[in-house]
Every structure is written in C-alpha cells, then in structure tokens.
Amino acid sequence: MRVLHLFKTYLPDSMGGIEQTIFQLCEACLPWGVTSSVLTLSAKPSPHPIRVGNHQVYQAKLDANLASTGLSREVFGRFRELAREHDVVHYHFPWPLMDLLHLHARHDKPSVLSYHSDIVRQRVLLQFYRPLMHQFLGSVDRIVTASPNYLATSDILAHYRDKTDVIPYGLDRSGYAPVDAERMAHWQQRFPDGFFLFVGVMRYYKGLHILLDACRNTDYPVVIVGAGPMEARLREQARRLRLDNVHFLGPLPDAEKNVLLQLSRVIVFPSHLRSEAFGISLLEGAMFGKPMISSEIGTGTSYINISGQTGLVVPPSDAAALRAAMHQLWHDREFAETLGLAAAERYRRLFTAERMGEQFNNLYRKLLFGVAPNASVSHQLR
C-alpha cells in the first residue's frame, strides 16, 4: 500500500512538531507494508525526490507565504500526479491551500486527515476561510486527532465526531541516539544538581514569558533549548529580570538534546494557548522517564501529562502556580521520581511509534478494503 502525506513544510527544510509526527508515522507504518511519500513546499525545491529515512519527499515551488499559509502554483499539478500513484491520501491540517488542492484534484482515493490543531491566531481570516474549511473537512473520509482531550474541546471537531478517530502520536525510542559519555560528563559538570528543561521552538503560544516570570527569586537552573521568533524578546526579558539561573542554549543537535533530556530533573512545558495541540517535546520527556509540568489548555498536553500521576498541571498564564509546581518537584525528589516512572510507563502503553503505526495501518486498510486487520483504531486510550 502506498500513502501520500501532504503538508506545507517538511524535512529537510524544517523540523517542527507536525513534521516530526509525519516522519515518525511514515517510518512506523513501513513494517506493516505501508510505503509512504510526502509532498511539501520548498523555496528551493529539489527537481528529484529526496530520501528522508525510509520514505520519499517531493517538493513543489513555494511562491509566497500569507498568514502562515504557503502558496504554490506548481503544487496543484504535482498533487494530481502523485495522488494517482498512491492508494491513500493523508492530509495534515491546518493548511488552507490543501483544502483547495483536495477539492480541485477530485481524486477518487480514500482520504485521511490528521487534525493537528484548531486555527487559533488568525481569527479574522478564519471567518472568511470557514466555509472552505467545512467543505474540506466534510469531504474527507476520516479525521484523526491525537487525544480525546482535543476531540472533547474543539468546536470544529464537534461537527465531525461521527467520523473522527483518536490515534495518539508516537515516538520510536530506538531512533534516539545513545547518550554520549563525554557529553554527559560535560553537562553534569556544568549542572551538577540537574535542571528544569524546556525544548522547542520559541513561538508565541509556548508560554516561555510565563516561565521566565515564574523564575523570579529562584535559584534552580532552567535550561531552554531551541530558537524561534520570540527568542530576542525572551532573552531581553531574562536580562531585565536578572535571571542568571536561566540558560538559553539555542538549537542543539539531537545527540546533545538527548543528553540534556537524560540529565534533566523535570520537563517544564508552559504552553498557554490551544495552538499547542499535543507537545512532542513533552512526550519526549515522558519517554525519557521525566516528571512534567504543563498547563491545562484542553489539548493533548493533559493527555500526555496526567496531574498528580505523571507530573503537575497548572492553570495557563499563571506564573505563581508554575513557580509553586517547580518548587515542589525540585525539593521533593522522591515524588518527582515516582511521577517520572509513571510517565515512562504511560509512554510505553500509549505513545510508542509502533502502536501509532499499527493503528494507522488498520485505518488505511479499513478505508481501502473495507475491513481492518486488527481491532478498532481507538482502543485502549485511557
């Protein structure tokens, strides 16, 4: 079976949470006999398919960006050609141009749509886009969201509950490089008592300004890995607040990041808006057996992190509550270690790439052949 994935950005040009999810999905489905390809946009597209992992990436010319929406004329023809060559088309929402691609191509292939996030920021433009969006969502065969939390709280998905499945994102632990002893010793020397860790792109919804406010009058180290559009503003805030215990490390190679995940004592994830639909780096923390602190925003973050079981969940945009949670987990090591063990167990039960691959394979085959080879795609979600 051949599956074509469609999203506005992808490896090797960019690596965000959705891109990582698509990568993990393409790789995880291969053992089930599913060969995957990805069609995406690029400012400098390759004339030939690019090999990423064990799947092919096709790039169409990016002509412009409007309100975070990549636009391309070339992609219409490329999509029609590739859809004919594949058995299933898998869309990754949101990307408004994709709606037009689907409706224009009028292909007869089964279609799956991964609903990664509501449109949160562009509320004015959403009013104009809404009719097209609902026409698109209504026309695909199945919709998939990554957590029951998101399905329960999305006003958009409420219209499509009867054709929406829940399949959590998964990560392949074996794909993370072994921890390097020399780098381990380096970071242990720099942070001998451990640290709080944030990993991610510095975007408006990540809540890092709240984390910095929470770090006032504290002395435990906080390590921030990543870059992004909010970086300069956040560095200025840390300088103004004289937060000498906050360390901006910038983007790091995966091998270096894995060492920091291993050495950290707590993963802190202060995203405060629904644009954060799941939180792949939060899931990485669970995979490494770390207790977590996150905010209750009605999305998958509170499906990964169960308050009092795998970590602590605080109200969004509440620096005082975040500070109190950090204080508790820093000073009560036994409690923190218990939470981390439970987080690792929850990862193994619900969030492995193997499980995700099996469930999507079942869904694809049910759409293509009418019967799934195994049990329901939504089993064992609790």
Side-chain angles (χ1 to χ4, degrees), residues 90-106:
H90 191 148
Y91 301 104
H92 294 269
F93 181 96
W95 179 26
L97 182 66
M98 184 171 61
D99 308 30
L100 294 174
L101 289 172
H102 171 77
L103 297 170
H104 180 265
R106 297 183 179 179

Side-chain angles (χ1 to χ4, degrees), residues 69-302:
T69 296
L71 303 177
S72 169
R73 290 165 294 180
E74 180 186 342
V75 74
F76 284 86
R78 297 297 301 278
F79 176 61
R80 280 195 303 271
E81 294 171 7
L82 289 169
R84 285 196 295 267
E85 298 171 6
H86 290 75
D87 302 303
V88 177
V89 176
H90 191 148
Y91 301 104
H92 294 269
F93 181 96
W95 179 26
L97 182 66
M98 184 171 61
D99 308 30
L100 294 174
L101 289 172
H102 171 77
L103 297 170
H104 180 265
R106 297 183 179 179
H107 62 78
D108 59 354
K109 303 302 173 70
S111 55
V112 176
L113 181 142
S114 281
Y115 191 96
H116 293 286
S117 173
D118 293 332
I119 295 175
V120 177
R121 197 176 192 184
Q122 292 90 3
R123 291 191 176 275
V124 175
L125 292 176
L126 176 60
Q127 301 309 310
F128 297 96
Y129 167 55
R130 191 181 297 273
L132 173 62
M133 176 185 69
H134 281 295
Q135 185 180 1
F136 176 45
L137 293 175
S139 67
V140 298
D141 294 310
R142 299 299 295 180
I143 297 172
V144 178
T145 189
S147 73
N149 305 50
Y150 213 89
L151 178 57
T153 59
S154 170
D155 292 338
I156 301 300
L157 288 180
H159 297 278
Y160 306 100
R161 288 180 183 273
D162 61 336
K163 67 172 185 178
T164 299
D165 297 300
V166 176
I167 302 180
Y169 300 153
L171 295 177
D172 179 8
R173 183 67 175 85
S174 67
Y176 285 70
V179 171
D180 179 81
E182 182 178 347
R183 301 311 300 163
M184 176 80 78
H186 166 79
W187 291 111
Q188 282 179 321
Q189 184 176 12
R190 184 168 177 182
F191 301 109
D193 200 31
F195 48 89
F196 289 94
L197 177 64
F198 169 87
V199 178
V201 180
M202 298 183 194
R203 302 192 190 280
Y204 70 96
Y205 58 84
K206 293 292 185 180
L208 286 169
H209 62 290
I210 304 161
L211 174 60
L212 296 183
D213 281 340
C215 290
R216 295 189 193 199
N217 303 316
T218 65
D219 58 1
Y220 30 72
V222 176
V223 172
I224 297 176
V225 175
M230 299 295 292
E231 182 175 1
R233 187 181 304 180
L234 291 166
R235 286 180 178 270
E236 172 57 26
Q237 181 184 354
R239 185 199 63 77
R240 178 167 33 85
L241 296 176
R242 299 180 180 178
L243 299 178
D244 296 333
N245 57 321
V246 175
H247 306 268
F248 291 90
L249 301 186
L252 294 176
D254 287 344
E256 202 89 349
K257 183 187 74 173
N258 294 345
V259 172
L260 294 172
L261 282 165
Q262 185 68 45
L263 290 177
S264 64
R265 283 173 54 177
V266 180
I267 302 299
V268 60
F269 199 76
S271 295
H272 63 303
L273 298 173
R274 283 183 61 82
S275 299
E276 189 68 79
F278 197 77
I280 291 296
S281 59
L282 190 67
L283 184 55
E284 287 178 325
M287 184 177 67
F288 275 82
K290 302 300 175 179
M292 299 165 281
I293 301 174
S294 58
S295 298
E296 181 53 75
I297 51 178
T299 73
T301 62
S302 295

Side-chain angles (χ1 to χ4, degrees), residues 284-339:
E284 287 178 325
M287 184 177 67
F288 275 82
K290 302 300 175 179
M292 299 165 281
I293 301 174
S294 58
S295 298
E296 181 53 75
I297 51 178
T299 73
T301 62
S302 295
Y303 185 57
I304 300 170
N305 184 23
I306 308 299
S307 192
Q309 179 181 327
T310 62
L312 298 176
V313 178
V314 301
S317 303
D318 190 335
L322 180 57
R323 183 185 302 113
M326 294 171 71
H327 180 87
Q328 181 179 1
L329 294 189
W330 185 260
H331 293 286
D332 192 342
R333 286 202 174 199
E334 184 177 354
F335 180 48
E337 289 173 1
T338 299
L339 296 175

